Amino acid sequence: MSDRITAWIQFGPWDEERLASTEDGRTFLKLLEEFGFDEQEVVHESGTDTLQCDIRDAKYGTAMFDEAGLVGRAQHLGLWCLQGDEGCGDWDWNYEVFSPVKRMNTFTCGAEGRVLLDQERFDAFVSHLDGAGVVAAIRKYFTEGSQTLGEWISAEGERQGRS
C-alpha cells in the first residue's frame, strides 16, 4: 500500500470571506495553504460553491487528509467534505462523504469510476429488508454514489426544507 496515487478533497459550501472572519476559519485556511496541494479550484455545482483540492503522488491516498485533520476541522466550521483517491493495486477507487456532523457514506468504484456495491454492503441491505426495500436501498446507494458534493449539500437542504 505504499503506492503513490492521486487523491482529492472537496469542501462546501465554500465561502472564503466567511471563513476568514473567524480565528478557526483563518487557521483552517492557513492549513489548506500550507498543505501543499497541487491544484485548488473553486467550482460551482448544483447551486453550491465547493473548493476542490487535488494532490498527485499521495502516499496512502486519503490517509494524508485524515492525518492532517482536514475533515474534522472542516466539519467544525460547518462544511461538508468529500474525499477520495483513485485506488491502486490492493484497493479500488473510493471516496467518503461527510456532513458537518457525521460521515454520510463511503463508496467504492471500479476501474471505470462507476460506483460498486461490495458484498458486505449488499449483505447489510438484504439482511433486514423485503424485496422492494432491497431494490430501493441499492438504488439509493448508487444514486448517492453518483452525486457531486454540491448535490449532496443541495439534497440535504431540500430534506430540511431549504432550497
Side-chain angles (χ1 to χ4, degrees):
M1 273 200 358
S2 64
D3 291 346
R4 294 188 178 271
I5 59 173
T6 299
W8 60 89
I9 189 165
Q10 290 179 286
F11 305 98
W14 189 252
D15 183 344
E16 194 164 336
E17 283 184 26
R18 182 186 66 81
L19 290 170
S21 70
T22 67
E23 185 175 338
D24 285 345
R26 288 188 295 274
T27 300
F28 180 69
L29 291 171
K30 184 173 176 154
L31 177 65
L32 290 177
E33 184 180 319
E34 294 173 350
F35 191 83
F37 289 107
D38 294 311
E39 294 180 31
Q40 289 187 28
E41 175 185 11
V42 176
V43 296
H44 189 75
E45 51 188 29
S46 298
T48 304
D49 285 338
T50 61
L51 178 67
Q52 167 82 33
C53 304
D54 300 323
I55 189 159
R56 294 178 290 281
D57 209 30
K59 189 171 184 175
Y60 302 119
T62 59
M64 65 188 317
F65 305 142
D66 298 333
E67 290 169 7
L70 290 176
V71 170
R73 289 174 185 269
Q75 287 177 303
H76 173 74
L77 292 165
L79 298 173
W80 284 68
C81 300
L82 182 149
Q83 68 175 7
D85 61 53
E86 64 185 14
C88 72
D90 293 339
W91 76 90
D92 289 322
W93 188 84
N94 71 92
Y95 63 96
E96 299 174 291
V97 180
F98 299 84
S99 77
V101 294
K102 65 178 180 176
R103 184 173 76 185
M104 298 296 286
N105 217 329
T106 300
F107 299 93
T108 301
C109 299
E112 314 82 33
R114 289 187 304 191
V115 176
L116 304 176
L117 184 60
D118 62 25
Q119 187 68 46
E120 182 179 333
R121 187 65 57 104
F122 177 80
D123 291 343
F125 284 151
V126 300
S127 66
H128 63 287
L129 298 171
D130 62 15
V134 169
V135 172
I138 292 170
R139 183 172 287 128
K140 180 176 186 253
Y141 180 77
F142 283 108
T143 300
E144 289 181 345
S146 299
Q147 290 179 337
T148 65
L149 183 61
E151 288 169 324
W152 275 92
I153 296 167
S154 176
E156 183 63 21
E158 289 172 12
R159 277 193 286 277
Q160 294 181 6
R162 298 184 313 258
S163 38

